Amino acid sequence: MQPDSDELTDLSAFVQASPSAYHAAAETARRLTAAGWSPQPRTEAWDVSPGGHFTLRGGALIAWWVPESADTRSGYRIVGAHTDSPGFKLKPHPQLRRHGWDQLGVEVYGGPLLASWTDRDLGLAGRVVDRLGNEALIRTEAVARIPQLAIHLNRSVNADGLKLDPQAHTMPIIGLGERELFDLLLDGVDLPADPVGFDLHTYDTQPPAVIGAGGEFFASARLDNLSSVHAGLTALLEPADDHGPEIRVLAIFDHEEVGSASTTGAAGPLLEEVLRRTSLGLGADEEQHLAMLAGSSCVSSDAGHAVHPNYAEYHDPANHPLLNGGPLLKINANQRYATDGVGAALWSRVCDQAGVRVQPFVSNNAIPCGSTIGPITATRIGVTTVDVGVPLLSMHSARELAGTGDLLDLGAALRAYLWL
């Protein structure tokens, strides 16, 4: 299988422009602006004129396309994803000096595979906020590393496994007492007042790469879930000529990896607010707005698990998704995913229209699966929701592995859902 170099090159550029959730939302906004979409401040009157609009808040963004034929009978077609990834977040007073080393005090964010973050070249990225509330995005090049203990000092590590204490063993080294951390971080940042707050994360600086004997694989940081953000964005920016009256929406949220309960997470009010204000702007009353939601749907796109050839016993014995076997349909009886029969039929139709294959994913009963924004979105706004995504190996590693074909097929399926 030969990968489409243009789309994968663009995905690589998107990942590299998005070292934090804040950068991912900002890069999405930049691309929408370049395509002629209009920013919508939440403090101003709502614009429902035909065309593309978006509102940005921290690491979240909601974009919506209003067709010429939109009215109070239109429904919404929503693609949902998340911008954050597991890793480490800087604590207050993060610069530590121990035994001649400068280290970073970090807090574990989400559920990373801790060992995968060792011996990697790490940068810092996120936002700083000054005393007046002004924000600036910052990122560094590779400045930090979590070094493993040499095998000569830990002779049993290969037999007993690497055991990392999340407090004692994950503090990156950053220097040798020669420079203050915030001098480094704020170099070139222009803020009107003194910085007093920050949301900063470590990120792996190694660029993505197409690998495999035939270019079958895409290795990269943050594929969970920038693979879905990028696919949803590119799908939204390729409208069909005859797209009907439905309003197309891309909702990318922060904080999914830590439960989504924030102002910019899927459990917050942002999507519900955008949909309500759009309905009202089109002239709908409350009854009509609820009817518009009743005719709507959501595709929650988040990465899932491919069968691991070295650990196949950890997977369901009858469901073994493979890389490049097609996007996943994610199913869970306990509603960790929102997919039901109606949603499954919707995704089947979409993939048929796009000409791509579908792979079901369900967990081994003895190993509970994670969850997504799907059940939260379904609960918040009450629309038919289906959970999908590309299969990965090494999910939540500092560097994950996807199939090049699956990445392209997900984009094609989301385009079919939004526009066909």
Side-chain angles (χ1 to χ4, degrees), residues 10 73 188 194 210 230 234 261 395 404:
D10 190 62
R73 294 166 295 179
D194 293 336
V210 174
H230 180 264
T234 55
M395 185 186 289
T404 52

Side-chain angles (χ1 to χ4, degrees), residues 300 330 332 335-340 343 372 374-376 378 385-387:
S300 164
K330 301 165 72 174
N332 180 260
Q335 287 295 292
R336 301 293 287 171
Y337 307 132
T339 303
D340 60 9
T372 70
I376 298 171
T385 303
V386 56
D387 271 296

